[in-house]
């Protein structure tokens, strides 16, 4: 019954995309600045107070309250196995699906020039331990916070509450999630905005402590493809990068145990398991990207330390493209399982991460930091 409930949400137990897929964003275009995501006058706005303790498990989600207070204006809610499924839908048909309390974005279906919708994200739903559904892929937050004072603080936020909803279905919809530490000294906001051609994920940190706050981690996005062999990254020429082990994340689409019958541990033994690679030691030998039309058919796990703020993925198998961009983050992660995976399969995707790994982000006392990722769909016009 558990898997059946989730199957109804994602269309299949693995959410392996069907024929049309893949798209993205162009940060160089002025209409995609952050200002375009700020709600204007007369937009509908709802919010409710943040719980006093948001770094520990919350009380069960009150679905009746969510439906009564927030349904309409392009946002609906559905219960699934104790989790809350939040769906955002614009009048043009573009949709985003997000899970609470994890904040995992499981689907972004964008309108295409031919009038149909295409799934841009790659999400897998399988059976986990004790028969519970295991959801991996999509867009996830994977961050750790600590202070420089003898490890006084070490915190990885995993639970989010709905804080605000505002926008107009004809133009844009914005859902704001929030969490904070037990002492209320660190506050986080995760703002997801859906526009006609863009999905924006903004991360905001408020440090009310007397010590600097150090953040490492990434926003990881799994973008669906026909096959990595038919996919190219455009715009990375001249970038500086080094090899790195697979990122450690519960939502990274790779098995935790390499002894399983399938997964990267067996397909790519040179990478080993995630636990073996924890710490991201990798290769500190830096290379320069010499190809502006980089084919992603090889198995790769790269951390770009100097790269353009946006680049484009072209999938020749689906005749589709998607652009990905960032602000606030200096590093960018790129992962490809290579051409040995089957086309249109569980591993037919490219993972892009806006990251702070080798160079942690430092938030000064009483300061606020913002970082964003943009996924832009350039396929609305023929």
């Amino acid at each position: 019954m558990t898997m059946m409930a989730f199957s109804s949400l994602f269309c299949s137990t693995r959410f392996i995309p069907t024929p049309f897929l893949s798209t993205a964003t162009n940060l160089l275009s002025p209409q995609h600045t952050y200002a375009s995501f700020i709600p204007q006058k007369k937009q509908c706005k709802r919010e409710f107070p943040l719980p006093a303790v948001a770094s520990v498990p919350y009380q069960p989600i009150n679905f009746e309250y969510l439906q009564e207070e927030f349904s309409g204006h392009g946002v609906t809610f559905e219960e699934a196995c104790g989790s809350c499924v939040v769906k955002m839908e614009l009048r043009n048909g573009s949709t985003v699906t997000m899970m609470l309390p994890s904040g995992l974005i499981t689907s972004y279906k964008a309108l295409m020039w031919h009038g149909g919708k295409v799934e841009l994200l790659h999400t897998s739903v399988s059976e986990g331990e004790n028969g519970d559904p295991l959801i991996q892929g999509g867009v996830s937050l994977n961050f750790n916070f600590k202070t420089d004072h003898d490890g006084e603080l070490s915190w990885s936020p995993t639970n989010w509450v709905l804080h605000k909803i505002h926008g107009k279905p004809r133009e844009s919809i914005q859902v704001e999630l929030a969490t904070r530490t037990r002492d209320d000294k660190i506050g986080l906001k995760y703002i997801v905005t859906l526009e006609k051609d863009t999905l924006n994920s903004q991360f905001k940190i408020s440090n009310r402590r007397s010590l600097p706050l150090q953040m490492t981690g990434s926003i990881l996005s799994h973008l669906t493809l026909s096959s990595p062999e038919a996919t190219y990254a455009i715009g990375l020429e001249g970038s500086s990068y080094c090899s790195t082990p697979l990122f450690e994340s519960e939502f990274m689409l790779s098995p935790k145990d390499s002894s399983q019958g399938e997964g990267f541990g067996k397909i790519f033994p040179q990478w080993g398991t995630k636990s073996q690679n924890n710490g991201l030691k990798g290769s500190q030998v830096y290379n320069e990207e010499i190809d502006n039309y980089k084919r992603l058919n090889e198995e790769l796990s790269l951390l770009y330390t100097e790269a353009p703020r946006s680049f484009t993925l072209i999938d020749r198998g689906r005749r589709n493209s998607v652009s990905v961009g960032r602000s606030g983050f200096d590093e960018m992660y790129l992962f490809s399982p290579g051409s040995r995976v089957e086309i249109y399969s569980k591993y037919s995707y490219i993972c892009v991460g806006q990251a702070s790994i080798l160079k942690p982000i430092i938030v000064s006392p009483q300061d606020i930091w913002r970082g964003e990722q943009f996924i832009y769909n350039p396929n609305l016009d023929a």
Side-chain angles (χ1 to χ4, degrees), residues 212-230:
L213 184 66
Q214 178 176 295
M215 181 188 79
T216 56
S218 66
I219 301 177
L220 282 179
S221 298
H222 295 69
L223 303 172
T224 195
L225 312 164
S226 61
S227 168
E229 186 172 13

Side-chain angles (χ1 to χ4, degrees), residues 116-346:
K117 292 190 297 183
V118 169
E119 177 60 65
L120 305 185
L121 300 182
H122 193 89
T123 305
S124 170
V125 182
S126 57
E127 187 170 341
E129 296 180 4
N130 303 319
D132 295 330
L134 176 63
I135 307 176
Q136 294 176 301
V139 179
S140 62
L141 299 179
N142 309 270
F143 292 103
N144 180 261
F145 298 88
K146 65 179 182 179
T147 60
D148 295 329
H149 186 64
D150 298 327
E152 177 184 334
L153 170 76
S154 182
W155 179 51
S156 296
T158 56
N159 291 305
W160 298 85
V161 294
L162 180 61
H163 188 47
K164 295 180 184 178
I165 292 178
H166 45 175
K168 292 183 179 180
R170 288 185 179 274
E171 302 168 4
S172 68
I173 302 171
Q174 190 173 86
V175 172
E176 182 177 313
L177 308 182
T179 188
R180 61 194 184 192
T181 54
R182 187 180 299 273
D183 60 4
D184 199 24
K185 293 296 182 66
I186 300 174
L188 306 181
K189 290 184 179 180
Y190 181 34
I191 304 168
V192 178
T193 305
L194 174 63
E195 290 192 332
K196 293 179 180 179
D197 56 3
T198 309
L199 172 62
N200 174 40
S201 301
Q202 184 192 25
F203 194 51
K204 180 180 176 181
I205 308 167
S206 300
N207 181 18
R208 293 183 286 271
R209 299 174 67 90
S210 59
L211 296 171
L213 184 66
Q214 178 176 295
M215 181 188 79
T216 56
S218 66
I219 301 177
L220 282 179
S221 298
H222 295 69
L223 303 172
T224 195
L225 312 164
S226 61
S227 168
E229 186 172 13
T231 304
Y232 297 78
I234 313 299
L236 294 177
E237 183 178 11
S239 301
S240 178
Y241 69 90
C242 63
S243 64
T244 184
L246 292 175
F247 271 25
E248 178 75 22
S249 167
E250 64 177 310
F251 298 114
M252 183 73 178
L253 187 50
S254 61
K256 295 181 179 179
D257 185 355
S258 64
S259 65
Q260 293 181 1
E262 61 175 340
F264 297 138
K266 281 191 171 292
I267 301 174
F268 315 127
Q270 70 271 27
W271 283 335
T273 65
K274 288 195 295 184
S275 59
Q276 291 170 339
N277 289 330
N278 193 20
L280 297 174
K281 296 180 180 179
S283 168
Q284 295 303 306
V285 178
Y286 288 90
N287 302 281
E288 181 177 332
E289 191 65 71
I290 61 174
D291 194 351
N292 196 48
Y293 200 72
K294 182 181 181 67
R295 193 176 183 185
L296 302 179
N297 60 321
E298 296 183 0
E299 304 141 18
L300 56 86
S301 180
L302 305 176
L303 186 66
Y304 287 80
T305 55
E306 295 180 9
R309 288 295 173 179
S310 66
F311 73 102
T312 299
L313 290 169
I314 294 180
D315 181 0
R316 297 179 65 180
R318 296 186 186 277
R319 299 182 180 180
N320 207 358
S321 63
V322 60
S323 300
V324 183
R326 72 189 189 279
S327 66
F329 295 95
D330 292 329
E331 301 167 353
M332 189 269 290
Y333 176 66
L334 181 63
F335 169 79
S336 171
S339 60
R340 281 193 269 177
V341 300
E342 295 182 12
I343 63 172
Y344 302 106
S345 69
K346 180 178 181 179

